[in-house]
Amino acid sequence: MTRPARFTLHPDFTVGDVDPRLFGSFVEHLGRCVYTGIHEPGHPTADEAGLRGDVLDLIRELGVTTVRYPGGNFVSGYKWEDSVGPVGERPRRLDLAWRSTESNRFGLSEYIAFLKQIGPQTEPMMAVNLGTRGVAEALELQEYANHPAGTALSDLRAAHGDKEPFGIRLWCLGNEMDGPWQTGHKTAEEYGRLAAETARAMRQIDPSVQLVACGSSHRAMDTFGAWEATVLAEAYDLVDHVSLHAYYEEIDGDRDSFLASAVDMESFIEDVVATCDHVGARLKSKKRIHLSFDEWNVWYMSAFQARPAAPDWPEAPRLLEDNYSVTDAVVVGSLLIALLRHADRVAVACLAQLVNVIAPILTEPGGPAWRQTTFFPFAQASRHGRGRVLDVRVDSPTYATPKYGEVPLLHATAVRAADGTVTVFAVNRSRRDSLPLEVTVAGLGLTSVVEHSALADTDPEARNTREDPERVAPHAVADTSLRDGVLHADLEPLSWNVIRLS
Ligand code: AHR
């Protein structure tokens, strides 16, 4: 039998408060994320605006707090003017990023209306095009979106039917500008200058905007580290956040490393924090840059890259429609734990993406919408992961991984809500054995276990499909107890666990 994994919680030892925007997501004009994903006029559940009601219900249940839009790589060719005004008059354009045709039937106004339909807790996160465009177009978009009235562009918005300004406060200054695949890709020096000047100008319109500068597209980029330092040397005083992107997949059957993906994510976060603080020290600045992990997920990218060539310029093709397993959901849960464990610096995070495209929700055109396995850890973390993150230092048995060496079997965090309830989020990375867990809960006034929910399956490949949309769902775990200030639980092999204590 495996020895227990242990940790101690104490109210005085904390990481930081969770910014609700840690539970953001991402809608890009890519594949069927927008068209037949969230927007499908004529669908039996669609409202007058063409928004699918079945998808909106699932998005509300998922608990997303911000939605990044409109890309992604798409934004580097985005002309915001194409996406506003009478739908019938909007131009069709080539989308170079995904070799698709963009109809612009869904645009800026529809995006804001979509967010309103999700609910008041969901705020916009809009990206400006710094690939093929620059400062002037960013300012025009900001004026159109946010200025109340009495100027050419704010009056144009009103004439288009949106009298009230959109109030977008969070803006991304481009997307993955370090990537050679990006239309209008730049060197760190070029982008740093452009980001700084765009930020300075946007703050001239509204000093309170919150701005995200592009960091590295992933940690393995040759320019990682130097890119962030160079960009921030230009833009430190002008931006609030630097972005991080990371996608994980099982490569060559190395499941043990895949299950430890969060080891990489946590190191990535810590490296970027160190780089930001190094620039801050050089500038003798008291300001701290926060992190926007605005693309993260499991993505079977190598399969996508190896796919046979498809006909060019289709409209809303089926792209990146990964169908996730129980194993993938456990990794997604672990990535959520990694984000929460760094809540002191990660202010924004976006699960990429929201519907159909590497997404927690899948749809069929004219047909149903359903929850992927990865839906559940996100929904549970968003619902119960609000409050203050407690410092968790695990003492756990380990296992060997080819990529990361010895890794703890237990990955965990805990969040204390305003009402004193504590939720422990825990992943058992063992594929074979259950893991006994003991948590000492000193000084938290906790006396009972409200719930222990687990996502695990005898078949780690189990998935939800159109034919069997409810094959995988979390189940209640019996026998979890709190005795003499110690929580005792048994974590099933390869499982995501949510244990709520009051
Ligand atoms: O999310 C899919 C793509 O991944 C995005 O368009 C891009 O930013 C990233 O490389």
Side-chain angles (χ1 to χ4, degrees):
M1 170 151 152
T2 319
R3 79 167 169 89
R6 298 188 173 90
F7 60 87
T8 299
L9 298 176
H10 191 282
D12 289 346
F13 297 104
T14 61
V15 173
D17 290 341
V18 179
D19 187 319
R21 296 173 301 178
L22 197 88
F23 301 108
S25 186
F26 176 30
V27 165
E28 176 168 9
H29 283 257
L30 194 183
R32 299 193 308 116
C33 186
V34 171
Y35 304 112
T36 72
I38 59 178
H39 185 255
E40 189 179 342
H43 186 274
T45 70
D47 62 14
E48 278 180 1
L51 295 172
R52 281 184 63 150
D54 54 351
V55 175
L56 280 169
D57 285 344
L58 289 176
I59 294 172
R60 288 185 202 109
E61 183 185 329
L62 187 64
V64 301
T65 51
T66 185
V67 179
R68 183 169 174 253
Y69 177 84
N73 297 338
F74 172 82
V75 80
S76 291
Y78 178 59
K79 294 178 82 174
W80 68 267
E81 311 88 301
D82 292 348
S83 82
V84 299
V87 173
E89 293 171 20
R90 296 184 193 168
R92 293 165 63 78
R93 298 276 185 201
L94 293 182
D95 163 20
L96 305 189
W98 303 105
R99 299 192 72 75
S100 303
T101 299
E102 174 53 52
S103 68
N104 284 304
R105 289 195 310 274
F106 184 99
L108 179 55
S109 169
E110 290 77 18
Y111 160 65
I112 298 295
F114 161 67
L115 296 183
K116 287 203 179 118
Q117 284 297 320
I118 300 174
Q121 76 290 347
T122 308
E123 71 164 289
M125 180 178 190
M126 186 79 197
V128 299
N129 174 357
L130 293 188
T132 55
R133 308 189 105 190
V135 182
E137 294 89 347
L139 293 178
E140 285 161 10
L141 170 55
Q142 189 185 1
E143 181 187 326
Y144 180 94
N146 283 1
H147 194 68
T151 65
L153 291 172
S154 54
D155 289 347
L156 183 64
R157 183 196 65 239
H160 288 159
D162 288 301
K163 194 162 175 300
E164 291 305 314
F166 298 148
I168 303 173
R169 65 172 182 150
L170 186 58
W171 296 85
C172 303
L173 301 171
N175 176 69
E176 294 191 348
M177 297 310 305
D178 62 324
W181 59 87
Q182 200 69 215
T183 316
H185 157 239
K186 299 191 172 26
T187 65
E189 289 77 13
E190 289 165 346
Y191 173 70
R193 291 283 304 124
L194 181 57
E197 292 314 321
T198 308
R200 203 186 313 277
M202 290 181 78
R203 289 198 189 284
Q204 283 183 294
I205 293 185
D206 175 6
S208 74
V209 285
Q210 294 188 21
L211 301 173
V212 184
C214 291
S216 295
S217 303
H218 52 83
R219 193 169 174 232
M221 294 295 288
D222 287 343
T223 48
F224 171 57
W227 172 276
E228 283 79 357
T230 308
V231 170
L232 287 176
E234 293 290 344
Y236 197 90
D237 289 335
L238 296 161
V239 302
D240 304 281
H241 306 93
V242 66
S243 74
L244 298 81
H245 292 180
Y247 293 101
Y248 298 96
E249 64 177 314
E250 182 178 318
I251 295 176
D252 297 333
D254 180 8
R255 182 154 298 186
D256 285 331
S257 297
F258 177 52
L259 286 166
S261 297
V263 171
D264 179 81
M265 188 189 235
E266 294 209 24
S267 304
F268 188 13
I269 291 170
E270 286 156 22
D271 288 350
V272 175
V273 167
T275 307
C276 293
D277 291 352
H278 169 73
V279 178
R282 269 171 37 199
L283 296 173
K284 301 188 173 49
S285 174
K286 288 211 183 325
K287 174 178 172 176
R288 285 287 166 266
I289 298 286
H290 284 84
L291 274 45
S292 173
F293 215 125
D294 47 43
E295 287 187 33
W296 69 270
N297 205 348
V298 170
W299 174 9
Y300 286 87
M301 195 187 294
S302 11
F304 170 68
Q305 283 162 345
R307 77 199 185 288
D312 276 343
W313 316 119
E315 222 178 298
R318 288 183 186 264
L319 284 178
L320 280 59
E321 297 195 7
D322 287 358
N323 185 206
Y324 293 117
S325 66
V326 169
T327 304
D328 298 326
V330 171
V331 172
V332 163
S334 185
L335 298 175
L336 283 159
I337 288 171
L339 293 168
L340 285 166
R341 287 174 60 82
H342 293 84
D344 53 332
R345 293 303 285 267
V346 181
V348 183
C350 304
L351 176 69
Q353 299 191 0
L354 185 54
V355 184
N356 288 330
V357 174
I358 44 172
I361 298 168
L362 289 178
T363 71
E364 272 303 315
W370 64 98
R371 301 167 190 81
Q372 295 238 51
T373 56
T374 54
F375 182 99
F376 301 107
F378 188 99
Q380 290 179 313
S382 177
R383 173 172 296 187
H384 302 299
R386 309 293 182 93
R388 182 162 294 176
V389 178
L390 300 173
D391 196 9
V392 169
R393 314 229 170 159
V394 302
D395 165 23
S396 167
T398 60
Y399 74 115
T401 69
K403 256 189 173 168
Y404 308 112
E406 285 293 315
V407 168
L409 287 172
L410 176 70
H411 191 213
T413 188
V415 181
R416 189 180 196 205
D419 66 1
T421 312
V422 169
T423 302
V424 171
F425 299 101
V427 156
N428 174 10
R429 291 173 166 136
S430 171
R431 297 201 266 148
R432 281 164 292 273
D433 301 314
S434 53
L435 180 64
L437 173 67
E438 293 177 5
V439 184
T440 304
V441 292
L444 286 157
L446 299 169
T447 51
S448 62
V449 177
V450 180
E451 176 192 25
H452 177 176
S453 159
L455 191 77
D457 203 283
T458 46
D459 176 8
E461 291 303 314
R463 291 153 214 266
N464 291 339
T465 59
R466 181 186 178 156
E467 293 68 38
D468 198 357
E470 294 181 6
R471 164 69 184 80
V472 179
H475 54 264
V477 179
D479 298 334
T480 300
S481 64
L482 187 53
R483 302 187 303 270
D484 303 326
V486 181
L487 165 73
H488 298 267
D490 208 33
L491 310 183
E492 293 167 66
L494 223 165
S495 61
W496 153 261
N497 300 268
V498 180
I499 306 172
R500 292 169 53 219
L501 310 170
S502 69

